[in-house]
Amino acid sequence: MDTTSTRAHDGVRTAPRALATEAVHAGRDDLARQGLHAPPIDLSTTYPSYDSRGEAARIDAFATTGAESDGPPVYGRLGNPTVARFETALARLEGTEAAVAFASGMAALSAVLLVRGSMGLRHVVAVRPLYGCSDHLLTAGLLGSEVTWTDPAGVADALRPDTGLVIVESPANPTLAEVDLRAVAHACGSVPLLVDNTFATPVLQRPAEHGARLVLHSATKYLGGHGDVLAGVVACDEEFAGRLRQVRFATGGVLHPLAGYLLLRGLSTLPVRVRAASATAAELVRRLAADPRVARVHYPSIGGAMVAFEVYGDPHEVIAGVRLITPAVSLGSVDTLIQHPASISHRIVDADDRRGAGVSDQLLRMSVGLEDVDDLWSDLDQALGSPSRGAGNCVTSHNEPAPAH
């Protein structure tokens, strides 16, 4: 089995390919030449080497730039061939030079903050809402960072000489609010813009095309797609990727090879899954918007499989009442999940900050899966219960991107 990085093999491909084709073939271009059809899983933690001088030279090169070695692997914390296949594929889907995978989405975000902090750039400008744990990591200053919260129009004014990063999530978790990424990237100037693209995936948007230098995914979600893998990944240019690899090596936030294999497998069906779930979500949005038990529906203009809605009744009773839909945190799985952000995913955010970002106590967040739409609606219908007295018409909120400034 050839355990070298797939990037050298990918270099022979020059013709552009559609996203659906890349999802199936990226990271696998060398398999046929090896007589393989399924990608191999390399579970080695260490690798034999009789050339200690060559090994020393590769380690020195990594310590200098963080570049991936052209020679055989050395140690699992430096890199893994199976994980490298996933990184190659995700970079191609996002349209970036490289991608670096981590043990979780929070490990990936932490590595980005550590890279910038090591350069003395500890100040972060961020737009709420973000995923609750991302919000907490910034607000609590657990990695020595200082955060200024602003709206998209205030990004330029919030920048300081020590600003190392601007962070946005679009569509945002859990309100699905959208940001004009190109306008924000312009406002950032030379400061890197990090876009959390977990909800949209490269199927719906590619932030690098709009000026983002860093694209973050909780790969646990849509990239894996089956609720059985925990991972994070940052798609970026090769220079930043080198720094991320050095942090990953030093801190040990590595992705297990089996997880890398599952993620590569998940990417092959990503476009099909996202588009099918999005079509079902759009129909559920239509039905929820017409339902007198629902006060408001949030759904992004780019579409997608995430739906948020506010109920007139007790949201906890809805959570307790579902039978087909799974009441659980996370998202992006083949089955539909529903949760109450104010109680779980955003509980760690200060209540006033949470409500100020649009995360009301009546809000429910639903990740639509691949079930039949009528079966899902039947479950929602019975869980919503009887209409509340005095309930009015629902107003559907299709969040439009903020205008450029």
Side-chain angles (χ1 to χ4, degrees), residues 14 31 37 53 58 67 73 111 119 142 199 208 221 234 243 255 272 279 288 327 332 352 367 372:
T14 57
L31 294 181
H37 185 235
R53 292 186 181 88
R58 292 196 298 276
M119 303 169 68
L142 295 175
F199 277 20
K221 313 307 194 292
V234 179
R243 299 297 300 273
L255 184 66
V272 176
L288 287 166
D352 289 338
S367 168
D372 181 83

Side-chain angles (χ1 to χ4, degrees), residues 1 17 20 72-73 81 87 89 127 130 158 169 178 190-191 221 225 268 311 320 330 346 358 390 401:
M1 178 178 68
R17 302 193 297 208
E87 293 171 331
V127 176
L130 294 176
E169 185 173 5
E178 293 173 276
S190 61
V191 177
K221 313 307 194 292
S268 63
V311 297
S330 199
H346 289 70

Side-chain angles (χ1 to χ4, degrees), residues 134-156:
S134 299
D135 188 308
H136 177 67
L137 180 65
L138 295 172
T139 302
L142 295 175
L143 296 178
S145 58
E146 176 189 352
V147 63
T148 296
W149 295 101
T150 185
D151 58 27
V155 167

Side-chain angles (χ1 to χ4, degrees), residues 37 41-42 58 67 89 114 120 137 158 163-164 169 171 177 179 191 195 215 238 259 274 285 318 320 380 402:
H37 185 235
I41 306 176
D42 187 333
R58 292 196 298 276
L114 288 171
L137 180 65
T163 302
E169 185 173 5
V179 173
V191 177
V195 175
V215 182
E238 177 56 35
V274 168
V285 164
V318 179
L380 275 176

